[in-house]
Amino acid sequence: MNSHFLDTPIGYLKGIGPQRAEVLQKELFIFTYKDLITHYPFRYVDRTRFHSVREVTEDSAYYQLRGHIVEIDFVGDKRTKRLVAKLRDSSGIIELVWFQGAKWMAEKLKSNTEYIVYGKATSFMGRFNMAHPEIDVVTPELLANQSSFQSVYHSTEKLKYRNLDSDGIRKCLRLLTLQLNEQNIQETLTPSVIQDFKLLSKLEALKQIHFPDSKVLLEKAKFRLKFEELFYVQLRLLRSNLVRHQLTQGFVFNKVGDTFNNFYNHHLPFQLTNAQKRVVKEIRVDMGSGKQMSRLVQGDVGSGKTLVALLSMLLAIDNGFQACLMAPTEILAKQHFATISELLEPMGLNVALLTGSSKTKARRELHAGLEAGTIHILIGTHALIEDVVIFKNLGLVVIDEQHRFGVAQRGKMHKKNTQPPHVLIMTATPIPRTLAMTLYGDLDTSVIDELPPGRKPITTMHFMESQRLRLIGFMKEQIALGRQVYIVYPLIQESEKMDYQNLQMGYDALLNDFPPPHYQISIVHGKLTTQQKEFEMQRFIKQETQIMVATTVIEVGVNIPNASVMVIESAERFGLSQLHQLRGRVGRGADKSYCILMTSYKLGADSKLRMETMVRTNDGFEISEVDLKLRGPGDLDGTQQSGVMDLKIADLAQDGQILQMARSSAQAVLNEDPNLAAPENQLLIQQLQYQGKTRSSWSKIG
Ligand code: ADP
Ligand code: MG
């Protein structure tokens, strides 16, 4: 039946012998008919129009001609031997040339026969010819099949060598699509979904995507196939969310008790923003529901996620549970520990810190405290997930700056109690809605879409190297006003050695421009020990130094309100979300803050757009949209584990609307039939299983 035909190994297709099958597998991962049929065109050329020979006037342009072959000859000596055929139409004659496969071609071509020819014109000694054109005898059938838009396929050098360039691949697809019929191509969407969105049938869509009969049908085919692809991604995500809600029991936090109230009423350092209030409420509802919470909090840098995490942890404590907060770096863990210990100081709660550099003795005490339940809140790095860390009664796990943790690590947290603790994930950077729906479509999400009041927008400037003097002058001004300055250097693994050189050179130059003792400079990078880093951080925090030179270790989370200037060196080497994160380190205090992007003169178009975007806006969501358009979903953080990579035709940067429709449609199906038990929905289950074989959704953690 359906899957059987498409699962046929590609070598069975007429014209594809073992050798071509092998290169198809190696080069394009095409193993089966299904892989070939989903090797979708990446563009189309218009073939509705025929040109006359006289109109062939532009070198390297593609032309479609129709005429009679009038002469076929081999020309040249042994080395330059080639086949030349003359094509004549009412306006003139053009030479068609074959260097390879000439003998075969010579046997195939017939004089005084009408052909349709399509290819690239090349100018040679003032005359045009066409080398290796596509050429077909004019038949009524061909004319009827003449697509208005011809598909163009990705190929590779090795494939071309085996005659599998775009045209070769199209020929294979022609053979394959001719074999498709209602029996071997089963419909993959239910009649009601098809009707709701007026979709082409699967069979028709597959034929039209490769060999469109018209522009309208091509668009319909694209829509149908993108819709289907996104529909199944969403159905899978929504379904696993549903299953989690149905099946995964969670600890019930139904009390809002003394700890929470006392803190909220007496020790909150400032009024919560409305967005923070709303999100805390959403979390409270989740944790009181009896189901395990898996909630993602998205919020721009500086939107106050830490406080939301803290209030959630207090709820856990009120209900007799412990809580932990996991951060991606040691510096950040320490900073959270410092902030939270200070905030909770008057509350008599026991907060502990665990990182990779915790001493054995301290560790032992800490382990004992956790098991006895005397430690209420544990803050740390991934050291938290080690098996030796055993809690008396862990009720809530907060994961800060999520994207640095892998699936397996998150899964391990689930095993820290008899049933999975609630999980709250806080993202480092906003991500576009379309991507969020796909990456986190199986989580419940909250958005903190409001910054605390009184924040002055950060002014971002883009300087070229020649403006360095101006930069130094500006820094001196700001330092004279009592502010502190970050200077960040890129650190990219492959060029680590050179990067450290740059950092060191920059630091030496700074010492010249900002000489001691008047100026003091901290330096923090990955080659330092934790103690050294800590020491340097502390000097900066205590305002003993005015400048902090760093690699991206300060990228995430660090909060030093008096630092109001962020200088990013070689800014063109950073991605947009990184730049935005770095900029988010300033603008945290009352002072006007600045971000200065230093780049060289020569910038590519993408880098230019990144700089312009940074200068134009402070809005993390807007920035993430540009980022997605520039890089495509595959390169964004976290996408590798999401199934986004499996998308063959839909494009999250372009197809937001289709995604929205597909998600609503999948949601509607589940609303009516949560277990997909209805006969008409069996098809969906089968399809999920069929596709599911190779996928990994990260909802399956734990
Ligand atoms: P992020 O969301 O980037 O983790 P933080 O939680 O570090 O942000 O908060 C950024 C800064 O804003 C901190 O200095 C914090 O004390 C402050 N802050 C958080 N919430 C509020 C609020 N409601 N009003 C004023 N300042 C706040
Ligand atoms: Mg934070």
Side-chain angles (χ1 to χ4, degrees), residues 270-273 276 300-306 452 455 559 588:
F270 21 60
Q271 271 255 304
L272 292 189
T273 62
Q276 283 171 317
D300 211 339
V301 219
S303 60
K305 294 185 286 281
T306 316
R455 289 276 168 80
N559 190 26
R588 300 185 156 233

Side-chain angles (χ1 to χ4, degrees), residues 48 217 257 365 484 497 544 601 616 635 663-664 677:
T48 42
L217 282 168
E365 280 168 23
Q484 289 166 286
K497 213 165 162 190
E544 293 167 10
Y601 263 113
R616 184 184 76 237
D635 286 329
R663 184 168 170 95
S664 317

Side-chain angles (χ1 to χ4, degrees), residues 301-302 304-306 332 336 400-401 426-427 556-558 585 588:
V301 219
K305 294 185 286 281
T306 316
L332 190 55
H336 277 318
D400 195 12
E401 320 293 5
M426 304 197 290
T427 57
V556 182
V558 181
R585 297 311 109 208
R588 300 185 156 233

Side-chain angles (χ1 to χ4, degrees), residues 7 391 395 461 522:
D7 289 339
F391 292 82
M461 298 178 275
S522 292

Side-chain angles (χ1 to χ4, degrees), residues 26-39:
K26 283 209 175 118
E27 296 289 296
L28 294 174
F29 302 103
I30 293 176
F31 290 85
T32 63
Y33 285 5
K34 177 169 186 250
D35 298 331
L36 180 62
I37 202 83
T38 56
H39 184 62

